[in-house]
Amino acid sequence: MVSLTALSLDNAALKGVIPTEIGEMHKLEVLEMAGNELSGTLPAELANLESLEIVELYDNYLSGPLNVLIDTFENLTILEVGYNELTGTLPAEVGLLNKLTGLDLGYNFLTGLLPTELGLLTDLVELKLYVNYFNGSLPSEIGSMAKLETVELDNNNFKGQIPPEIGEATLLGAFVTCDLI
């Protein structure tokens, strides 16, 4: 199984933790395990999967910080881990995922400020951070994301105004944020 490039186990009624042995699948490019009952933290061994391009682990019961998914994957294009129980902050290293086109972290327990490094994700098309506990101001750097089409930031604790720079994202078709204080 070390030569496996795609593992698709969406809606497979899986329970328990993601096995640490998954880190031995060094050629894995696609990891899809959405819609199961997976729990526990994201195994540190995921960092061994340097070829990963697509990670879809949404709609599970995964907990703990995001760092193992953010710190390693320079080829990542899709990261969908919404509808889990992830905690902590969105690390500034998210800006290093320069091939990312989709980022969905909605419905988790993420906190803190959005890093300005989000603006480095110039290929990002969808940014979904809804229903978390992010706070502070929206970073004006979101406006430098020229390919951005959808932004969903509702049900967080943001303060202030929508930065005018967001108008520079010319492809933006949907901007949902209902809770600026």
Side-chain angles (χ1 to χ4, degrees):
M1 294 209 10
V2 290
S3 61
L4 193 68
T5 59
L7 180 61
S8 183
L9 295 169
D10 290 344
N11 302 303
L14 298 174
K15 295 181 180 185
V17 299
I18 298 174
T20 57
E21 291 81 6
I22 201 163
E24 297 171 14
M25 299 179 184
H26 298 285
K27 295 186 179 183
L28 200 64
E29 296 172 1
V30 177
L31 176 60
E32 297 172 335
M33 300 174 92
N36 288 293
E37 294 183 28
L38 298 171
S39 59
T41 59
L42 298 164
E45 290 79 4
L46 286 174
N48 298 334
L49 306 178
E50 296 177 4
S51 298
L52 271 181
E53 296 175 13
I54 298 173
V55 174
E56 294 181 352
L57 298 173
Y58 59 88
D59 198 15
N60 280 291
Y61 300 100
L62 298 170
S63 59
L66 282 170
N67 294 47
V68 69
L69 293 175
I70 302 289
D71 293 348
T72 305
F73 307 119
E74 61 186 44
N75 294 315
L76 203 59
T77 59
I78 303 288
L79 177 57
E80 294 183 353
V81 292
Y83 293 88
N84 277 292
E85 299 171 359
L86 299 173
T87 57
T89 61
L90 181 56
E93 290 81 7
V94 70
L96 300 175
L97 302 176
N98 58 3
K99 295 180 183 175
L100 206 60
T101 61
L103 178 61
D104 185 349
L105 307 177
Y107 276 96
N108 277 292
F109 297 99
L110 300 172
T111 61
L113 303 174
L114 294 184
T116 57
E117 289 82 0
L118 275 174
L120 299 173
L121 303 178
T122 55
D123 285 338
L124 200 67
V125 175
E126 287 189 347
L127 176 62
K128 297 180 178 183
L129 305 175
Y130 52 90
V131 192
N132 276 289
Y133 296 93
F134 291 116
N135 57 46
S137 301
L138 297 178
S140 60
E141 289 79 4
I142 291 176
S144 63
M145 302 160 92
K147 296 180 181 176
L148 202 56
E149 294 178 10
T150 303
V151 177
E152 296 181 18
L153 303 173
D154 52 309
N155 293 295
N156 278 287
N157 298 314
F158 295 116
K159 294 182 179 179
Q161 299 178 349
I162 296 173
E165 292 85 354
I166 290 177
E168 297 171 19
T170 56
L171 298 177
L172 193 59
F175 185 90
V176 179
T177 183
C178 304
D179 57 355
L180 289 176
I181 299 172

